[in-house]
Amino acid sequence: MAENWIEETLYDNWGQRFRVVKELARVTSPFQDIVVFESDSHGRVLLLDGVVQITERDEFVYQEMLTHVPLFTHKAPRKVLIIGAGDGGVLRRVLEHPGVEKAVMVEIDGKVIELAKQHMPSIAGDAWTNPRAEVIVGDGIDYVAKAADGSFDVIIVDSTDPIGVGEVLFTDSFYEHCARVLSAEGLIVNQCGVPFMQADELFETSERRAKYFPHVSAYVAAVPTYVGGFMTLGIASKGPNPAGQNTDQVRTRAEQAGILGKTQYWTPEIHTGAFNLPPYIAKHLPTTKA
């Protein structure tokens, strides 16, 4: 029997491929093409418009860093807004923080949520039915534009790259509304691509956020299936500089939250160390303020 492979189509000159054990779903929603398959090496894999979004084997790296870093950076996050993240992994980890009173998740494509529940249930666990969670199938841009001033402490944006359905999540208008919606020391985190291949994404996003936030920075995570080296996660804060945190203080908070020792990638040392950027990445943060 001939082997079946799926190739990622993010770049036209470089990529990766997975040997497919079984294709589980192939759907064209009103927003994007969605494929879920069982791989030979990474468990179940979700692709949107031909680009890997999450795999069961390495999802913990991205999800832990996208969630625990901002929630342990803000001094007391109680209300969290998640935009995108239709697989439910970010929602699950936000809810691991006992101090979070409300987590609102807004995902534009309900089909992603449906397929994640059906084919990748381990990623979200019981987050979908948690009473502190509110899951909305809708436009995150519109939600932020209509949200009240200071209504959230942390905004986590888990989107595709700034093409197609994800493009509007990287605009001046979006960041301006996010700054308004965030509380006095609020902060926003979003993925800014793999700078070895997508340096413009980090640079342009940082410049836009710097118009509305006094502190703009980024930290890194090594996600195996986001090919090209470190993935950058951009962070912008209305409060203290996120890059100046103390490892012992982060450890104390993680221990109090019951999260210390229960992660697979994130640790207090990784948390603070991830802000120490290699020069080839740091040079794309020209507007970072001390």
Side-chain angles (χ1 to χ4, degrees):
M1 181 182 294
E3 292 184 342
N4 183 23
W5 294 77
I6 284 184
E7 293 193 13
E8 184 177 35
T9 58
L10 178 58
Y11 310 118
D12 60 7
N13 56 357
W14 187 34
Q16 64 180 325
R17 65 175 187 162
F18 296 84
R19 186 160 58 197
V20 178
V21 174
K22 182 180 181 181
E23 188 171 294
L24 302 171
R26 184 178 291 268
V27 176
T28 299
S29 77
F31 303 98
Q32 56 207 335
D33 294 325
I34 309 168
V35 176
V36 184
F37 64 93
E38 185 85 41
S39 75
D40 186 54
S41 56
H42 287 71
R44 296 187 174 186
V45 181
L46 169 69
L47 279 78
L48 299 179
D49 287 335
V51 179
V52 174
Q53 303 301 311
I54 213 79
T55 82
E56 287 182 320
R57 187 173 177 191
D58 71 358
E59 59 87 23
F60 64 89
V61 181
Y62 180 68
Q63 312 271 32
E64 289 179 5
M65 291 298 282
L66 190 63
T67 303
H68 296 322
V69 172
L71 292 188
F72 284 132
T73 297
H74 190 285
K75 65 179 183 180
R78 293 183 176 85
K79 295 183 179 179
V80 179
L81 174 62
I82 305 162
I83 297 177
D87 55 75
V90 171
L91 180 64
R92 168 189 157 195
R93 286 174 174 86
V94 167
L95 295 169
E96 289 176 354
H97 291 252
V100 172
E101 299 168 358
K102 185 75 172 180
V104 178
M105 172 183 154
V106 185
E107 163 62 54
I108 197 169
D109 196 341
K111 199 65 182 179
V112 173
I113 296 176
E114 178 186 329
L115 292 173
K117 286 180 176 179
Q118 181 180 356
H119 298 296
M120 308 176 85
S122 65
I123 290 180
D126 61 0
W128 301 118
T129 57
N130 191 298
R132 292 182 291 147
E134 179 182 359
V135 178
I136 299 169
V137 176
D139 186 348
I141 301 295
D142 185 62
Y143 185 92
V144 170
K146 294 178 179 177
D149 294 2
S151 52
F152 290 96
D153 300 307
V154 173
I155 298 175
I156 300 174
V157 183
D158 180 15
S159 70
T160 56
D161 290 307
I163 52 175
V165 70
E167 186 173 4
V168 290
L169 296 172
F170 291 79
T171 63
D172 283 5
S173 175
F174 174 68
Y175 291 122
E176 183 177 15
H177 278 298
C178 286
R180 176 186 59 79
V181 165
L182 284 166
S183 55
E185 295 191 359
L187 54 87
I188 180 173
V189 172
N190 63 297
Q191 69 89 2
C192 290
V194 176
F196 187 81
M197 294 294 289
Q198 300 166 305
D200 288 350
E201 190 171 320
L202 175 61
F203 176 80
E204 292 171 6
T205 300
S206 300
E207 283 214 321
R208 289 191 172 102
R209 290 179 309 190
K211 298 175 184 178
Y212 311 106
F213 294 87
H215 296 293
V216 174
S217 186
Y219 58 98
V220 293
V223 186
T225 48
Y226 297 163
V227 297
F230 283 121
M231 158 70 69
T232 51
L233 300 167
I235 185 167
S237 173
K238 294 170 71 173
N241 187 347
Q245 297 178 71
N246 178 281
T247 304
D248 289 338
Q249 291 175 351
V250 174
R251 182 183 297 106
T252 297
R253 290 189 58 193
E255 188 172 20
Q256 291 171 344
I259 291 173
L260 191 66
K262 296 182 179 179
T263 55
Q264 297 183 73
Y265 187 91
W266 181 94
T267 67
E269 291 77 14
I270 292 291
H271 178 126
T272 54
F275 286 90
N276 296 315
L277 302 178
Y280 87 92
I281 297 177
K283 71 180 182 180
H284 299 297
L285 293 168
T287 56
T288 300
K289 300 177 183 179

